[in-house]
Amino acid sequence: MTESKNIYGSFSVPSTLNIENVTISVYRENEFTYYQRDLSGTTNKKYVFTCDDSHFTINPVEPQNVPKKLTSHMLIELENPLLVGSGTKKTIYITFPVEIGIFFHTTRGKELIDVFSLNIKKFTLYGNPNDGIICKYYKSSVYPKPPEVNSMKEGVLEVEVVNNNGNTVEVRNIVFSAYGMKIFYDDKTVSMKAILRTVSRKVAETDFLNDPIHHGMVKSPEIYVPGKMHYTTKYIMDKGL
Amino acid sequence: MNNSTQISFLPEDPLFFKITMAILAITGAIIIGKTITIYLKRSFSDDFRPGTLELISKTIYYTILLIVIAFVVLPVLGLKASSLLVAGGVVGIILGFASQSIVGNLISGIFLMVERPIEIGQQVDIEGNLGTVEDVNIFSTIIRGYDGLYLRIPNEKVFTGNITNYVENVARRFDYDIGIRYSDDADQAIGIIKELIEAHPYTLKQPESLVFVNNLGDNAVVIKARIWCPATEWYTVKTELLWTIKKTLENNNIEIAFPQRTLWFANGPVSKNNEDKDYTESGMEENIK
């Protein structure tokens, strides 16, 4: 894995940006603003705007939007199971998939107009078909310190694992709710900070913290904002760890 | 001057007054119910699934109507619960015979709303009627068939019939049987199929999809692929993946087998008397001599 500078940030119109095999073009023509996303030379998406946006923003967003908004949960499978001793608290680092959001600035603020991902998209079932939930799936190694990753594809998730119950707990999967995700970025890293509290050998609670993993990072706009129904940012993993 | 003269704006006919009041109360209840329903739909349409929100709205709407009828309309009309019970007994018998199916549909509709085996927007098969549930009313269930046809099914039939709900569980499985030639490498074919399943975003990581040789058939080695998908996406995946598998196997020189029979012809004519004799190569030679 290599750490490289990303292109998150604000850009003026017109701009053409290349992100691996994806080309983003925003230009003005005949008093309209055009947004175009090409993948390997083929146009994937094209929008025409009637508003006079002078700039747009590229930010990392919650990895729940492509290929389709099927779920608001993300399951990260650990390549090697994590054994958490009784009464211990340990900080680990894992990776999560990043989706790239394009925002236009309007009078109502930043508005998301497109999301794409350079990563593999995969889903999984957490629990049983009758009472489980579909989750976005990702597999990660466990690192003792923040790994170096391509921040256009992956982010670093700092997880504080707290085991206050009397048994050693084996953690193979961690499930998060997108409604709690707080994504921060700088020119090299995309990050989130979360906590995993074990309740028993089979049950745990996950939540996100509104902090970056290091100072100076900028917060990304949240697409999944807790609302009337999705009021909690926590997720109770009651179908096994 | 007569002081006892009363000026009244009320109609003189008390029955007319009562009926007017009852109609006003019901109209008011309908307006309130509709207003609350519209408010709910506007406020929570992003937070609920369409079917759930529709059910909540209907429950609130009919509850308001029932409350107004029970506590306003009936007292205004001067009807008491006890007299209703007596009258209900007699009327019930008449209605029971006269409108058995209507009452059956009504009760089935109420039970359907409580049990909720189907919800609006779900893909179902009710007694052979396949489609998407458009509405669950008090008396009937409306389905939009996959061919776009409007289907109205009486609730009694829905409640007592067999229902297959394709999307009630969040994940479901579908199977493919892929027959390849005996001369092809089944292990290679299994590897290719597994890779294609893995590469598709909507095939689930867990439960794991299975690919294995299921049958050594007359004309083909039959490979079974058991694939799990989100219930909302299974049909898309099913229609996409099979052709991709076929093309990829063929690109790797693995052909889909088709029924065939190999015929072996003798070198010369065989007399009828020798029909029951040995037809192996040595047997043929013996016959010709």
Side-chain angles (χ1 to χ4, degrees):
Chain A
M1 285 180 285
T2 54
E3 189 178 75
S4 57
K5 272 200 165 188
N6 58 51
I7 58 161
Y8 297 123
S10 197
F11 300 88
S12 58
V13 179
S15 285
T16 300
L17 305 161
N18 290 306
I19 310 165
E20 301 214 352
N21 56 346
V22 176
T23 304
I24 303 290
S25 312
V26 185
Y27 54 94
R28 283 190 67 78
E29 202 174 278
N30 299 329
E31 298 182 5
F32 288 130
T33 304
Y34 290 84
Y35 167 83
Q36 188 171 322
R37 167 158 61 84
D38 297 335
L39 175 67
S40 306
T42 311
T43 300
N44 263 166
K45 205 163 230 180
K46 190 169 182 177
Y47 287 125
V48 184
F49 294 94
T50 53
C51 52
D52 297 325
D53 295 315
S54 57
H55 58 291
F56 64 99
T57 307
I58 298 180
N59 283 155
V61 293
E62 297 93 328
Q64 310 291 140
N65 306 285
V66 291
K68 198 174 183 181
K69 280 187 180 180
L70 271 188
T71 171
S72 59
H73 294 93
M74 178 176 71
L75 183 148
I76 297 180
E77 182 188 349
L78 306 181
E79 270 188 2
N80 297 304
L82 184 71
L83 286 173
V84 189
S86 169
T88 59
K89 185 193 278 189
K90 183 80 181 167
T91 298
I92 61 162
Y93 294 89
I94 56 178
T95 55
F96 67 94
V98 165
E99 289 180 10
I100 300 164
I102 312 289
F103 295 83
F104 266 50
H105 297 214
T106 65
T107 48
R108 289 167 57 191
K110 282 184 178 179
E111 285 203 29
L112 182 74
I113 59 154
D114 191 19
V115 184
F116 63 95
S117 170
L118 304 174
N119 226 316
I120 295 165
K121 297 119 197 155
K122 200 74 188 160
F123 292 91
T124 192
L125 175 69
Y126 175 63
N128 298 314
N130 58 331
D131 66 349
I133 52 165
I134 298 290
C135 299
K136 196 77 180 280
Y137 171 85
Y138 201 67
K139 194 169 190 173
S140 168
S141 298
V142 178
Y143 303 91
K145 58 179 185 177
E148 292 180 353
V149 293
N150 178 353
S151 57
M152 298 307 288
K153 283 186 175 179
E154 287 183 299
V156 176
L157 177 52
E158 181 185 301
V159 187
E160 188 181 60
V161 185
V162 182
N163 180 11
N164 284 333
N165 78 77
N167 303 303
T168 297
V169 173
E170 185 180 323
V171 182
R172 290 172 178 271
N173 302 305
I174 310 178
V175 182
F176 297 102
S177 166
Y179 287 95
M181 291 179 180
K182 318 285 180 197
I183 300 177
F184 293 82
Y185 69 93
D186 59 16
D187 59 351
K188 286 183 180 173
T189 313
V190 174
S191 79
M192 288 197 286
K193 216 171 185 178
I195 188 161
L196 172 87
R197 285 190 201 89
T198 61
V199 177
S200 69
R201 279 183 171 171
K202 299 285 180 191
V203 180
E205 180 189 88
T206 60
D207 197 6
F208 285 92
L209 304 174
N210 195 11
D211 296 317
I213 60 167
H214 52 253
H215 293 294
M217 298 184 98
V218 181
K219 190 175 178 183
S220 275
E222 291 175 42
I223 300 173
Y224 289 78
V225 182
K228 289 164 191 159
M229 294 308 298
H230 299 283
Y231 53 88
T232 179
T233 59
K234 294 175 182 173
Y235 182 72
I236 305 289
M237 295 175 62
D238 56 356
K239 295 172 179 67
L241 305 178
Chain B
M1 194 173 176
N2 188 359
N3 291 332
S4 65
T5 304
Q6 290 181 345
I7 300 169
S8 174
F9 295 102
L10 295 174
E12 288 181 5
D13 186 356
L15 184 62
F16 176 78
F17 172 72
K18 285 175 180 176
I19 290 171
T20 310
M21 286 298 289
I23 290 169
L24 283 175
I26 289 174
T27 311
I30 290 170
I31 292 168
I32 293 168
K34 289 280 179 195
T35 309
I36 292 172
T37 302
I38 290 165
Y39 170 76
L40 284 174
K41 283 180 181 173
R42 278 185 183 168
S43 304
F44 297 103
S45 57
D46 292 338
D47 300 317
F48 284 102
R49 284 189 294 172
T52 311
L53 190 57
E54 191 69 30
L55 182 73
I56 293 169
S57 304
K58 276 187 182 172
T59 308
I60 291 171
Y61 179 73
Y62 286 118
T63 306
I64 290 169
L65 269 185
L66 278 174
I67 289 170
V68 170
I69 288 169
F71 294 103
V72 181
V73 176
L74 293 182
V76 164
L77 293 174
L79 294 171
K80 291 179 182 174
S82 55
S83 60
L84 275 179
L85 284 174
V86 175
V90 179
V91 174
I93 293 167
I94 300 164
L95 279 178
F97 284 108
S99 56
Q100 195 177 3
S101 60
I102 296 172
V103 176
N105 284 327
L106 174 73
I107 291 167
S108 298
I110 292 166
F111 278 112
L112 278 175
M113 286 183 178
V114 174
E115 191 191 339
R116 297 171 66 192
I118 54 172
E119 289 176 35
I120 294 168
Q122 289 186 328
Q123 293 172 38
V124 295
D125 175 358
I126 301 169
E127 294 285 294
N129 297 301
L130 275 81
T132 307
V133 179
E134 290 284 292
D135 207 352
V136 182
N137 294 319
I138 288 288
F139 293 107
S140 63
T141 297
I142 310 301
I143 288 181
R144 177 166 41 85
Y146 292 128
D147 48 6
L149 293 181
Y150 172 96
L151 300 169
R152 179 189 176 277
I153 308 170
N155 278 341
E156 196 173 6
K157 193 177 174 186
V158 177
F159 190 66
T160 56
N162 294 324
I163 298 173
T164 305
N165 191 325
Y166 292 109
V167 292
E168 180 62 20
N169 290 347
V170 292
R172 66 157 292 175
R173 196 191 79 194
F174 66 89
D175 296 355
Y176 288 140
D177 284 319
I178 303 152
I180 60 168
R181 298 174 303 188
Y182 271 90
S183 55
D184 292 326
D185 184 350
D187 287 330
Q188 188 194 358
I190 287 171
I192 291 167
I193 295 167
K194 277 185 175 174
E195 275 179 25
L196 291 170
I197 292 170
E198 177 67 24
H200 200 290
Y202 292 133
T203 55
L204 295 176
K205 197 79 183 170
Q206 290 292 335
E208 195 178 1
S209 297
L210 294 175
V211 185
F212 55 93
V213 173
N214 188 46
N215 186 22
L216 299 175
D218 289 342
N219 304 292
V221 175
V222 181
I223 296 171
K224 172 84 82 181
R226 292 189 159 158
I227 303 161
W228 282 89
C229 290
T232 52
E233 308 301 320
W234 76 274
Y235 193 68
T236 311
V237 180
K238 189 176 181 179
T239 50
E240 279 178 11
L241 203 52
L242 188 58
W243 192 245
T244 311
I245 288 172
K246 189 254 183 194
K247 283 193 293 186
T248 313
L249 288 177
E250 283 183 352
N251 289 342
N252 287 276
N253 297 319
I254 296 171
E255 296 283 334
I256 302 296
F258 50 87
Q260 54 185 296
R261 188 172 295 278
T262 305
L263 295 176
W264 293 87
F265 292 97
N267 290 332
V270 180
S271 68
K272 198 175 181 183
N273 294 336
N274 293 328
E275 272 180 2
D276 297 328
K277 289 195 174 177
D278 188 6
Y279 279 90
T280 59
E281 198 171 8
S282 58
M284 289 290 180
E285 285 169 5
E286 191 182 329
N287 293 335
I288 291 163
K289 285 173 191 172

